[in-house]
Amino acid sequence: HFESIVGSETFVKKSLDEIKQYNTDWMGKYSASSPSIVVFPKSTKEVSQILQYCNEKRIAVVPQGGNTGLVGGSVPVFDEIVLSLSKMNKISAIDINSGVITCEAGCILANLEEFANSSNLTVPLDLGAKGSCQIGGNASTLAGGLRLIRYGNLRNSILGLEVVLPNGTVINALNTLRKDNTGYDIKQLFLGSEGTLGVITSVSITLSPKPKSVQTALFGVKDFESL
């Protein structure tokens, strides 16, 4: 059935060799006891159809981004289906004047940073795993990163989300306004929820001016009190 949704066997992996990297966490600590399949939707519509079908058939699903987490949250425990967002990696729009970028959840953080840099802007998030982590996973886990003290929590940088609920309903809250006090701020429910309430498929995030220079300093202290 999943092949009929995503359109090709290329986007459904079943063999143990193919799905091993999706069923085991980055540290190799956690893995599925009974590996199932990995599905690669290419659009929000396909995510909606997959979740609707799984909801009707009572099939458990694990959303997965870059699978760079260290606590096993992105890998299956038993025989859940892995829903990989890696094929949804398009940048939808960037507004240079307001400094807002809208992209799909599967965009790799380093690629977003490179794209923003071309407009003298920077993403207010930086991680050691930026070469493989995805912005949807960053949003769903509210990743902190190396720039938190300078730019603040990621929650404050995300303006809007597109989310698919477990029953397949699509919530489009892709707001790009920095100030919007109309109605409920529904995106806050999904930020940090780690896929338990819905699957993030698109994100609108504020960018900051790219620093003209970056200086690195190392301080060595003898104890925490000295720090």
mmCIF file of all heavy atoms in Angstrom, residues 21-69:
data_model
loop_
_atom_site.group_PDB
_atom_site.id
_atom_site.type_symbol
_atom_site.label_atom_id
_atom_site.label_comp_id
_atom_site.label_asym_id
_atom_site.label_seq_id
_atom_site.Cartn_x
_atom_site.Cartn_y
_atom_site.Cartn_z
ATOM 1 N N GLN A 21 20.370 1.367 9.107
ATOM 2 C CA GLN A 21 20.773 2.700 9.565
ATOM 3 C C GLN A 21 19.597 3.508 10.104
ATOM 4 O O GLN A 21 19.780 4.440 10.897
ATOM 5 C CB GLN A 21 21.438 3.468 8.431
ATOM 6 C CG GLN A 21 20.530 3.732 7.241
ATOM 7 C CD GLN A 21 21.193 4.579 6.177
ATOM 8 O OE1 GLN A 21 21.730 5.641 6.456
ATOM 9 N NE2 GLN A 21 21.171 4.082 4.938
ATOM 10 N N TYR A 22 18.378 3.149 9.712
ATOM 11 C CA TYR A 22 17.187 3.864 10.184
ATOM 12 C C TYR A 22 16.611 3.235 11.452
ATOM 13 O O TYR A 22 15.825 3.856 12.157
ATOM 14 C CB TYR A 22 16.112 3.875 9.098
ATOM 15 C CG TYR A 22 16.583 4.485 7.802
ATOM 16 C CD1 TYR A 22 17.050 3.692 6.753
ATOM 17 C CD2 TYR A 22 16.588 5.865 7.618
ATOM 18 C CE1 TYR A 22 17.497 4.242 5.571
ATOM 19 C CE2 TYR A 22 17.047 6.438 6.433
ATOM 20 C CZ TYR A 22 17.497 5.615 5.420
ATOM 21 O OH TYR A 22 17.946 6.166 4.246
ATOM 22 N N ASN A 23 17.013 2.004 11.732
ATOM 23 C CA ASN A 23 16.495 1.291 12.892
ATOM 24 C C ASN A 23 17.447 1.317 14.074
ATOM 25 O O ASN A 23 17.161 0.737 15.126
ATOM 26 C CB ASN A 23 16.201 -0.167 12.518
ATOM 27 C CG ASN A 23 14.857 -0.323 11.862
ATOM 28 O OD1 ASN A 23 13.819 -0.025 12.460
ATOM 29 N ND2 ASN A 23 14.847 -0.778 10.622
ATOM 30 N N THR A 24 18.590 1.980 13.903
ATOM 31 C CA THR A 24 19.583 2.068 14.972
ATOM 32 C C THR A 24 19.978 3.521 15.178
ATOM 33 O O THR A 24 20.140 4.260 14.212
ATOM 34 C CB THR A 24 20.840 1.243 14.617
ATOM 35 O OG1 THR A 24 20.449 -0.096 14.304
ATOM 36 C CG2 THR A 24 21.821 1.232 15.778
ATOM 37 N N ASP A 25 20.106 3.928 16.429
ATOM 38 C CA ASP A 25 20.456 5.322 16.699
ATOM 39 C C ASP A 25 21.922 5.584 16.404
ATOM 40 O O ASP A 25 22.707 4.661 16.185
ATOM 41 C CB ASP A 25 20.130 5.692 18.153
ATOM 42 C CG ASP A 25 21.156 5.148 19.113
ATOM 43 O OD1 ASP A 25 21.394 3.926 19.089
ATOM 44 O OD2 ASP A 25 21.734 5.939 19.882
ATOM 45 N N TRP A 26 22.294 6.868 16.413
ATOM 46 C CA TRP A 26 23.645 7.290 16.020
ATOM 47 C C TRP A 26 24.724 6.685 16.909
ATOM 48 O O TRP A 26 25.823 6.374 16.448
ATOM 49 C CB TRP A 26 23.723 8.811 16.065
ATOM 50 C CG TRP A 26 24.971 9.382 15.477
ATOM 51 C CD1 TRP A 26 25.251 9.565 14.151
ATOM 52 C CD2 TRP A 26 26.125 9.835 16.188
ATOM 53 N NE1 TRP A 26 26.502 10.110 13.999
ATOM 54 C CE2 TRP A 26 27.068 10.289 15.240
ATOM 55 C CE3 TRP A 26 26.449 9.909 17.540
ATOM 56 C CZ2 TRP A 26 28.300 10.797 15.602
ATOM 57 C CZ3 TRP A 26 27.684 10.416 17.915
ATOM 58 C CH2 TRP A 26 28.600 10.854 16.936
ATOM 59 N N MET A 27 24.413 6.475 18.193
ATOM 60 C CA MET A 27 25.385 5.915 19.139
ATOM 61 C C MET A 27 25.425 4.392 19.103
ATOM 62 O O MET A 27 26.306 3.774 19.695
ATOM 63 C CB MET A 27 25.050 6.375 20.558
ATOM 64 C CG MET A 27 25.175 7.867 20.779
ATOM 65 S SD MET A 27 26.894 8.426 20.833
ATOM 66 C CE MET A 27 27.416 7.766 22.409
ATOM 67 N N GLY A 28 24.463 3.781 18.422
ATOM 68 C CA GLY A 28 24.416 2.326 18.365
ATOM 69 C C GLY A 28 23.879 1.692 19.633
ATOM 70 O O GLY A 28 24.049 0.484 19.852
ATOM 71 N N LYS A 29 23.212 2.472 20.468
ATOM 72 C CA LYS A 29 22.682 1.953 21.740
ATOM 73 C C LYS A 29 21.299 1.345 21.592
ATOM 74 O O LYS A 29 20.945 0.392 22.275
ATOM 75 C CB LYS A 29 22.613 3.079 22.773
ATOM 76 C CG LYS A 29 23.945 3.543 23.317
ATOM 77 C CD LYS A 29 23.702 4.598 24.397
ATOM 78 C CE LYS A 29 25.003 5.056 25.024
ATOM 79 N NZ LYS A 29 24.752 6.087 26.087
ATOM 80 N N TYR A 30 20.490 1.951 20.713
ATOM 81 C CA TYR A 30 19.092 1.551 20.615
ATOM 82 C C TYR A 30 18.769 1.088 19.203
ATOM 83 O O TYR A 30 19.219 1.678 18.226
ATOM 84 C CB TYR A 30 18.176 2.729 20.976
ATOM 85 C CG TYR A 30 18.540 3.405 22.270
ATOM 86 C CD1 TYR A 30 19.297 4.581 22.273
ATOM 87 C CD2 TYR A 30 18.164 2.872 23.492
ATOM 88 C CE1 TYR A 30 19.648 5.216 23.449
ATOM 89 C CE2 TYR A 30 18.512 3.495 24.688
ATOM 90 C CZ TYR A 30 19.252 4.663 24.658
ATOM 91 O OH TYR A 30 19.607 5.273 25.833
ATOM 92 N N SER A 31 17.976 0.030 19.116
ATOM 93 C CA SER A 31 17.567 -0.465 17.801
ATOM 94 C C SER A 31 16.263 -1.226 17.938
ATOM 95 O O SER A 31 15.884 -1.663 19.030
ATOM 96 C CB SER A 31 18.643 -1.382 17.198
ATOM 97 O OG SER A 31 18.879 -2.492 18.046
ATOM 98 N N ALA A 32 15.566 -1.388 16.820
ATOM 99 C CA ALA A 32 14.278 -2.071 16.823
ATOM 100 C C ALA A 32 14.474 -3.560 17.063
ATOM 101 O O ALA A 32 15.389 -4.172 16.521
ATOM 102 C CB ALA A 32 13.569 -1.835 15.498
ATOM 103 N N SER A 33 13.602 -4.135 17.881
ATOM 104 C CA SER A 33 13.693 -5.562 18.151
ATOM 105 C C SER A 33 13.162 -6.386 16.984
ATOM 106 O O SER A 33 13.563 -7.523 16.781
ATOM 107 C CB SER A 33 12.899 -5.901 19.419
ATOM 108 O OG SER A 33 11.540 -5.521 19.288
ATOM 109 N N SER A 34 12.242 -5.787 16.213
ATOM 110 C CA SER A 34 11.682 -6.462 15.043
ATOM 111 C C SER A 34 11.537 -5.457 13.913
ATOM 112 O O SER A 34 10.470 -4.873 13.714
ATOM 113 C CB SER A 34 10.309 -7.069 15.388
ATOM 114 O OG SER A 34 9.764 -7.719 14.265
ATOM 115 N N PRO A 35 12.614 -5.198 13.172
ATOM 116 C CA PRO A 35 12.616 -4.161 12.140
ATOM 117 C C PRO A 35 11.481 -4.323 11.141
ATOM 118 O O PRO A 35 11.150 -5.432 10.724
ATOM 119 C CB PRO A 35 13.974 -4.347 11.466
ATOM 120 C CG PRO A 35 14.822 -5.032 12.488
ATOM 121 C CD PRO A 35 13.889 -5.920 13.236
ATOM 122 N N SER A 36 10.885 -3.190 10.753
ATOM 123 C CA SER A 36 9.779 -3.199 9.810
ATOM 124 C C SER A 36 10.236 -2.598 8.483
ATOM 125 O O SER A 36 11.156 -3.108 7.862
ATOM 126 C CB SER A 36 8.601 -2.421 10.402
ATOM 127 O OG SER A 36 7.490 -2.470 9.556
ATOM 128 N N ILE A 37 9.651 -1.475 8.076
ATOM 129 C CA ILE A 37 10.013 -0.834 6.814
ATOM 130 C C ILE A 37 10.243 0.658 7.035
ATOM 131 O O ILE A 37 9.847 1.217 8.052
ATOM 132 C CB ILE A 37 8.942 -1.035 5.726
ATOM 133 C CG1 ILE A 37 7.642 -0.314 6.111
ATOM 134 C CG2 ILE A 37 8.697 -2.511 5.482
ATOM 135 C CD1 ILE A 37 6.606 -0.332 5.000
ATOM 136 N N VAL A 38 10.902 1.280 6.062
ATOM 137 C CA VAL A 38 11.129 2.718 6.068
ATOM 138 C C VAL A 38 10.433 3.310 4.851
ATOM 139 O O VAL A 38 10.618 2.835 3.730
ATOM 140 C CB VAL A 38 12.636 3.062 6.020
ATOM 141 C CG1 VAL A 38 12.840 4.564 6.147
ATOM 142 C CG2 VAL A 38 13.383 2.327 7.125
ATOM 143 N N VAL A 39 9.615 4.341 5.077
ATOM 144 C CA VAL A 39 8.877 4.989 4.000
ATOM 145 C C VAL A 39 9.386 6.420 3.836
ATOM 146 O O VAL A 39 9.606 7.117 4.827
ATOM 147 C CB VAL A 39 7.362 4.999 4.279
ATOM 148 C CG1 VAL A 39 6.608 5.582 3.094
ATOM 149 C CG2 VAL A 39 6.863 3.595 4.583
ATOM 150 N N PHE A 40 9.572 6.850 2.577
ATOM 151 C CA PHE A 40 10.135 8.165 2.280
ATOM 152 C C PHE A 40 9.134 9.023 1.508
ATOM 153 O O PHE A 40 9.179 9.076 0.271
ATOM 154 C CB PHE A 40 11.414 8.027 1.460
ATOM 155 C CG PHE A 40 12.508 7.255 2.134
ATOM 156 C CD1 PHE A 40 12.545 5.877 2.061
ATOM 157 C CD2 PHE A 40 13.498 7.918 2.837
ATOM 158 C CE1 PHE A 40 13.558 5.149 2.686
ATOM 159 C CE2 PHE A 40 14.514 7.204 3.464
ATOM 160 C CZ PHE A 40 14.541 5.820 3.387
ATOM 161 N N PRO A 41 8.216 9.694 2.188
ATOM 162 C CA PRO A 41 7.284 10.576 1.473
ATOM 163 C C PRO A 41 8.018 11.761 0.870
ATOM 164 O O PRO A 41 9.057 12.189 1.373
ATOM 165 C CB PRO A 41 6.318 11.019 2.577
ATOM 166 C CG PRO A 41 7.113 10.924 3.835
ATOM 167 C CD PRO A 41 8.017 9.741 3.648
ATOM 168 N N LYS A 42 7.462 12.306 -0.205
ATOM 169 C CA LYS A 42 8.076 13.428 -0.902
ATOM 170 C C LYS A 42 7.255 14.713 -0.779
ATOM 171 O O LYS A 42 7.656 15.742 -1.311
ATOM 172 C CB LYS A 42 8.269 13.075 -2.382
ATOM 173 C CG LYS A 42 9.046 11.798 -2.625
ATOM 174 C CD LYS A 42 9.180 11.483 -4.100
ATOM 175 C CE LYS A 42 7.841 11.171 -4.764
ATOM 176 N NZ LYS A 42 7.149 10.009 -4.174
ATOM 177 N N SER A 43 6.115 14.615 -0.098
ATOM 178 C CA SER A 43 5.247 15.782 0.033
ATOM 179 C C SER A 43 4.389 15.649 1.283
ATOM 180 O O SER A 43 4.252 14.560 1.857
ATOM 181 C CB SER A 43 4.339 15.920 -1.196
ATOM 182 O OG SER A 43 3.420 14.837 -1.250
ATOM 183 N N THR A 44 3.792 16.769 1.684
ATOM 184 C CA THR A 44 2.889 16.761 2.831
ATOM 185 C C THR A 44 1.683 15.873 2.552
ATOM 186 O O THR A 44 1.183 15.184 3.456
ATOM 187 C CB THR A 44 2.423 18.196 3.148
ATOM 188 O OG1 THR A 44 3.571 18.988 3.463
ATOM 189 C CG2 THR A 44 1.466 18.222 4.321
ATOM 190 N N LYS A 45 1.210 15.888 1.324
ATOM 191 C CA LYS A 45 0.072 15.048 0.959
ATOM 192 C C LYS A 45 0.377 13.581 1.183
ATOM 193 O O LYS A 45 -0.479 12.830 1.702
ATOM 194 C CB LYS A 45 -0.303 15.292 -0.515
ATOM 195 C CG LYS A 45 -1.499 14.469 -0.981
ATOM 196 C CD LYS A 45 -1.825 14.749 -2.445
ATOM 197 C CE LYS A 45 -3.009 13.904 -2.909
ATOM 198 N NZ LYS A 45 -3.328 14.153 -4.347
ATOM 199 N N GLU A 46 1.570 13.148 0.813
ATOM 200 C CA GLU A 46 1.935 11.749 1.005
ATOM 201 C C GLU A 46 2.068 11.416 2.485
ATOM 202 O O GLU A 46 1.670 10.329 2.917
ATOM 203 C CB GLU A 46 3.239 11.448 0.262
ATOM 204 C CG GLU A 46 3.083 11.471 -1.247
ATOM 205 C CD GLU A 46 4.359 11.137 -1.992
ATOM 206 O OE1 GLU A 46 5.392 10.902 -1.331
ATOM 207 O OE2 GLU A 46 4.331 11.124 -3.243
ATOM 208 N N VAL A 47 2.606 12.331 3.278
ATOM 209 C CA VAL A 47 2.679 12.127 4.725
ATOM 210 C C VAL A 47 1.272 11.951 5.285
ATOM 211 O O VAL A 47 1.009 11.066 6.111
ATOM 212 C CB VAL A 47 3.381 13.305 5.427
ATOM 213 C CG1 VAL A 47 3.298 13.155 6.949
ATOM 214 C CG2 VAL A 47 4.840 13.400 4.993
ATOM 215 N N SER A 48 0.358 12.796 4.836
ATOM 216 C CA SER A 48 -1.032 12.727 5.290
ATOM 217 C C SER A 48 -1.671 11.384 4.944
ATOM 218 O O SER A 48 -2.338 10.768 5.791
ATOM 219 C CB SER A 48 -1.839 13.869 4.653
ATOM 220 O OG SER A 48 -3.207 13.759 4.985
ATOM 221 N N GLN A 49 -1.445 10.916 3.743
ATOM 222 C CA GLN A 49 -2.034 9.644 3.315
ATOM 223 C C GLN A 49 -1.452 8.472 4.095
ATOM 224 O O GLN A 49 -2.174 7.536 4.479
ATOM 225 C CB GLN A 49 -1.797 9.445 1.812
ATOM 226 C CG GLN A 49 -2.582 10.409 0.942
ATOM 227 C CD GLN A 49 -2.236 10.277 -0.528
ATOM 228 O OE1 GLN A 49 -1.126 9.859 -0.891
ATOM 229 N NE2 GLN A 49 -3.173 10.625 -1.409
ATOM 230 N N ILE A 50 -0.154 8.526 4.359
ATOM 231 C CA ILE A 50 0.504 7.452 5.116
ATOM 232 C C ILE A 50 -0.027 7.404 6.547
ATOM 233 O O ILE A 50 -0.378 6.333 7.072
ATOM 234 C CB ILE A 50 2.032 7.648 5.118
ATOM 235 C CG1 ILE A 50 2.602 7.421 3.716
ATOM 236 C CG2 ILE A 50 2.703 6.694 6.118
ATOM 237 C CD1 ILE A 50 4.042 7.858 3.560
ATOM 238 N N LEU A 51 -0.102 8.562 7.194
ATOM 239 C CA LEU A 51 -0.570 8.595 8.577
ATOM 240 C C LEU A 51 -2.045 8.223 8.678
ATOM 241 O O LEU A 51 -2.457 7.561 9.646
ATOM 242 C CB LEU A 51 -0.329 9.976 9.178
ATOM 243 C CG LEU A 51 1.140 10.362 9.410
ATOM 244 C CD1 LEU A 51 1.222 11.718 10.094
ATOM 245 C CD2 LEU A 51 1.856 9.307 10.237
ATOM 246 N N GLN A 52 -2.831 8.637 7.716
ATOM 247 C CA GLN A 52 -4.250 8.284 7.728
ATOM 248 C C GLN A 52 -4.416 6.771 7.634
ATOM 249 O O GLN A 52 -5.215 6.171 8.373
ATOM 250 C CB GLN A 52 -4.970 8.968 6.566
ATOM 251 C CG GLN A 52 -6.471 8.684 6.537
ATOM 252 C CD GLN A 52 -7.169 9.370 5.371
ATOM 253 O OE1 GLN A 52 -6.524 9.877 4.465
ATOM 254 N NE2 GLN A 52 -8.482 9.387 5.394
ATOM 255 N N TYR A 53 -3.670 6.146 6.730
ATOM 256 C CA TYR A 53 -3.740 4.694 6.569
ATOM 257 C C TYR A 53 -3.278 3.979 7.835
ATOM 258 O O TYR A 53 -3.935 3.049 8.314
ATOM 259 C CB TYR A 53 -2.882 4.267 5.373
ATOM 260 C CG TYR A 53 -2.819 2.770 5.179
ATOM 261 C CD1 TYR A 53 -3.854 2.091 4.537
ATOM 262 C CD2 TYR A 53 -1.720 2.044 5.632
ATOM 263 C CE1 TYR A 53 -3.798 0.714 4.357
ATOM 264 C CE2 TYR A 53 -1.658 0.669 5.464
ATOM 265 C CZ TYR A 53 -2.702 0.003 4.831
ATOM 266 O OH TYR A 53 -2.654 -1.365 4.664
ATOM 267 N N CYS A 54 -2.154 4.433 8.401
ATOM 268 C CA CYS A 54 -1.625 3.801 9.612
ATOM 269 C C CYS A 54 -2.574 3.980 10.789
ATOM 270 O O CYS A 54 -2.714 3.082 11.636
ATOM 271 C CB CYS A 54 -0.251 4.386 9.944
ATOM 272 S SG CYS A 54 1.053 3.911 8.789
ATOM 273 N N ASN A 55 -3.227 5.118 10.848
ATOM 274 C CA ASN A 55 -4.186 5.369 11.919
ATOM 275 C C ASN A 55 -5.390 4.428 11.807
ATOM 276 O O ASN A 55 -5.854 3.882 12.812
ATOM 277 C CB ASN A 55 -4.659 6.823 11.864
ATOM 278 C CG ASN A 55 -5.553 7.193 13.024
ATOM 279 O OD1 ASN A 55 -5.152 7.134 14.182
ATOM 280 N ND2 ASN A 55 -6.782 7.585 12.728
ATOM 281 N N GLU A 56 -5.853 4.234 10.581
ATOM 282 C CA GLU A 56 -6.995 3.345 10.359
ATOM 283 C C GLU A 56 -6.641 1.887 10.653
ATOM 284 O O GLU A 56 -7.463 1.138 11.190
ATOM 285 C CB GLU A 56 -7.486 3.482 8.918
ATOM 286 C CG GLU A 56 -8.094 4.832 8.596
ATOM 287 C CD GLU A 56 -8.388 5.007 7.121
ATOM 288 O OE1 GLU A 56 -7.974 4.122 6.330
ATOM 289 O OE2 GLU A 56 -9.031 6.011 6.754
ATOM 290 N N LYS A 57 -5.408 1.491 10.327
ATOM 291 C CA LYS A 57 -4.984 0.094 10.500
ATOM 292 C C LYS A 57 -4.285 -0.132 11.842
ATOM 293 O O LYS A 57 -3.833 -1.244 12.107
ATOM 294 C CB LYS A 57 -4.035 -0.305 9.364
ATOM 295 C CG LYS A 57 -4.638 -0.170 7.968
ATOM 296 C CD LYS A 57 -5.839 -1.072 7.784
ATOM 297 C CE LYS A 57 -6.400 -0.976 6.367
ATOM 298 N NZ LYS A 57 -7.584 -1.836 6.170
ATOM 299 N N ARG A 58 -4.211 0.916 12.663
ATOM 300 C CA ARG A 58 -3.563 0.830 13.985
ATOM 301 C C ARG A 58 -2.103 0.397 13.872
ATOM 302 O O ARG A 58 -1.616 -0.465 14.595
ATOM 303 C CB ARG A 58 -4.323 -0.135 14.901
ATOM 304 C CG ARG A 58 -5.817 0.119 14.992
ATOM 305 C CD ARG A 58 -6.127 1.451 15.621
ATOM 306 N NE ARG A 58 -5.764 1.495 17.028
ATOM 307 C CZ ARG A 58 -5.829 2.576 17.798
ATOM 308 N NH1 ARG A 58 -6.232 3.727 17.263
ATOM 309 N NH2 ARG A 58 -5.496 2.526 19.067
ATOM 310 N N ILE A 59 -1.404 0.997 12.914
ATOM 311 C CA ILE A 59 0.021 0.717 12.705
ATOM 312 C C ILE A 59 0.838 1.832 13.349
ATOM 313 O O ILE A 59 0.608 3.010 13.085
ATOM 314 C CB ILE A 59 0.350 0.629 11.197
ATOM 315 C CG1 ILE A 59 -0.473 -0.484 10.536
ATOM 316 C CG2 ILE A 59 1.840 0.390 10.988
ATOM 317 C CD1 ILE A 59 -0.339 -0.521 9.020
ATOM 318 N N ALA A 60 1.774 1.473 14.202
ATOM 319 C CA ALA A 60 2.607 2.463 14.888
ATOM 320 C C ALA A 60 3.621 3.073 13.934
ATOM 321 O O ALA A 60 4.140 2.392 13.040
ATOM 322 C CB ALA A 60 3.322 1.828 16.076
ATOM 323 N N VAL A 61 3.901 4.360 14.127
ATOM 324 C CA VAL A 61 4.803 5.104 13.240
ATOM 325 C C VAL A 61 5.834 5.863 14.063
ATOM 326 O O VAL A 61 5.511 6.421 15.115
ATOM 327 C CB VAL A 61 4.015 6.114 12.370
ATOM 328 C CG1 VAL A 61 4.961 6.912 11.483
ATOM 329 C CG2 VAL A 61 2.977 5.391 11.524
ATOM 330 N N VAL A 62 7.069 5.887 13.585
ATOM 331 C CA VAL A 62 8.123 6.697 14.191
ATOM 332 C C VAL A 62 8.617 7.711 13.162
ATOM 333 O O VAL A 62 9.229 7.339 12.166
ATOM 334 C CB VAL A 62 9.325 5.837 14.661
ATOM 335 C CG1 VAL A 62 10.438 6.723 15.193
ATOM 336 C CG2 VAL A 62 8.891 4.851 15.722
ATOM 337 N N PRO A 63 8.334 9.013 13.355
ATOM 338 C CA PRO A 63 8.895 10.024 12.453
ATOM 339 C C PRO A 63 10.405 10.123 12.655
ATOM 340 O O PRO A 63 10.888 10.038 13.784
ATOM 341 C CB PRO A 63 8.195 11.322 12.886
ATOM 342 C CG PRO A 63 7.083 10.895 13.801
ATOM 343 C CD PRO A 63 7.511 9.613 14.408
ATOM 344 N N GLN A 64 11.139 10.326 11.562
ATOM 345 C CA GLN A 64 12.597 10.389 11.681
ATOM 346 C C GLN A 64 13.161 11.462 10.759
ATOM 347 O O GLN A 64 12.785 11.556 9.595
ATOM 348 C CB GLN A 64 13.209 9.034 11.336
ATOM 349 C CG GLN A 64 14.703 8.959 11.608
ATOM 350 C CD GLN A 64 15.261 7.565 11.302
ATOM 351 O OE1 GLN A 64 15.826 7.355 10.239
ATOM 352 N NE2 GLN A 64 15.082 6.625 12.225
ATOM 353 N N GLY A 65 14.068 12.261 11.315
ATOM 354 C CA GLY A 65 14.775 13.258 10.532
ATOM 355 C C GLY A 65 16.141 12.719 10.139
ATOM 356 O O GLY A 65 16.263 11.713 9.436
ATOM 357 N N GLY A 66 17.187 13.377 10.629
ATOM 358 C CA GLY A 66 18.534 12.927 10.314
ATOM 359 C C GLY A 66 19.033 11.805 11.197
ATOM 360 O O GLY A 66 20.138 11.295 11.002
ATOM 361 N N ASN A 67 18.243 11.426 12.202
ATOM 362 C CA ASN A 67 18.601 10.344 13.138
ATOM 363 C C ASN A 67 19.934 10.621 13.823
ATOM 364 O O ASN A 67 20.777 9.732 13.967
ATOM 365 C CB ASN A 67 18.644 8.996 12.414
ATOM 366 C CG ASN A 67 18.594 7.816 13.388
ATOM 367 O OD1 ASN A 67 18.175 7.961 14.524
ATOM 368 N ND2 ASN A 67 19.037 6.655 12.929
ATOM 369 N N THR A 68 20.122 11.878 14.242
ATOM 370 C CA THR A 68 21.380 12.248 14.909
ATOM 371 C C THR A 68 21.223 12.379 16.421
ATOM 372 O O THR A 68 22.170 12.740 17.105
ATOM 373 C CB THR A 68 21.899 13.590 14.357
ATOM 374 O OG1 THR A 68 20.903 14.606 14.563
ATOM 375 C CG2 THR A 68 22.208 13.484 12.878
ATOM 376 N N GLY A 69 20.023 12.118 16.941
ATOM 377 C CA GLY A 69 19.801 12.218 18.383
ATOM 378 C C GLY A 69 20.588 11.175 19.156
ATOM 379 O O GLY A 69 20.954 10.123 18.621
#
